[in-house]
Amino acid sequence: MRAVLTRVKHASVTIDGVVTGQIGQGFLILLGVGPQDTERECRALAEKALSLRIFEDENGKMNLGLDAVGGQVLVVSQFTLYGNCRKGRRPSFTGAAGPELGNALYEHFLAICEELGYPPQHGTFGADMKVESLNDGPVTLILDTDQLLDTPRRGES
């Protein structure tokens, strides 16, 4: 599972001209699901992302988390995070999970965010979405469960 997490002043997602999710200060999380991902990866990624302390304190140091700043979360599904650009000029997306698994784990990630105390605003899996954000810093991080988890995932030895 992969995420691009951006610290934002505000962000929104629009589908067919209608704003479906909108936040003030917080995290915009673009979330990609791989074919080997499970609920285990969802939990690990959500816990890591939502616990990051990347907001500045009174000394300008990144010491504050979402809770300390009253931050919000906007999550947008993004299968293109699994795009492979090694060959040619058109990316291949065969490394992304299929729609059934992708949607199930996207929904599970949203549920974990809520369980952890950050009810997420969100887009709609598979929809053509327009995402707007005002990056703060900018601070943008890439999170990948292949790097977060020390033990092999399902199907790996």
Side-chain angles (χ1 to χ4, degrees):
M1 198 165 240
R2 295 179 180 158
V4 173
L5 182 149
T6 303
R7 185 179 78 184
V8 298
K9 291 288 188 182
H10 59 81
S12 65
V13 60
T14 302
I15 302 172
D16 294 327
V18 177
V19 175
T20 62
Q22 184 172 328
I23 63 168
Q25 182 180 35
F27 294 160
L28 168 60
I29 300 174
L30 304 177
L31 182 69
V33 178
Q36 298 299 318
D37 289 332
T38 66
E39 291 181 359
R40 177 176 176 249
E41 283 76 24
C42 280
R43 179 155 303 277
L45 188 62
E47 287 176 352
K48 175 58 93 174
L50 298 177
S51 68
L52 289 172
R53 297 183 320 163
I54 60 173
F55 293 95
E56 293 181 356
D57 64 15
E58 64 280 354
N59 298 315
K61 303 287 183 191
M62 287 197 287
N63 280 327
L64 303 178
L66 277 172
D67 56 339
V69 299
Q72 300 173 297
V73 177
L74 173 63
V75 181
V76 177
S77 63
Q78 186 87 38
F79 77 93
T80 60
L81 293 180
Y82 278 89
N84 182 332
C85 300
R86 284 185 210 139
K87 295 181 182 178
R89 292 183 278 170
R90 289 185 54 206
S92 168
F93 300 107
T94 58
E100 187 174 318
L101 177 63
N103 187 40
L105 292 181
Y106 171 70
E107 293 292 332
H108 189 66
F109 185 88
L110 297 175
I112 292 170
C113 289
E114 178 131 15
E115 172 192 320
L116 294 174
Y118 300 98
Q121 294 287 301
H122 55 86
T124 300
F125 185 88
D128 180 15
M129 296 175 275
K130 308 302 179 211
V131 179
E132 291 187 54
S133 65
L134 179 58
N135 295 356
D136 182 15
V139 174
T140 301
L141 302 168
I142 298 170
L143 302 173
D144 191 318
T145 54
D146 286 349
Q147 297 170 354
L148 295 176
L149 298 171
D150 293 331
T151 55
R153 298 188 304 174
R154 178 184 67 197
E156 296 178 351
S157 48

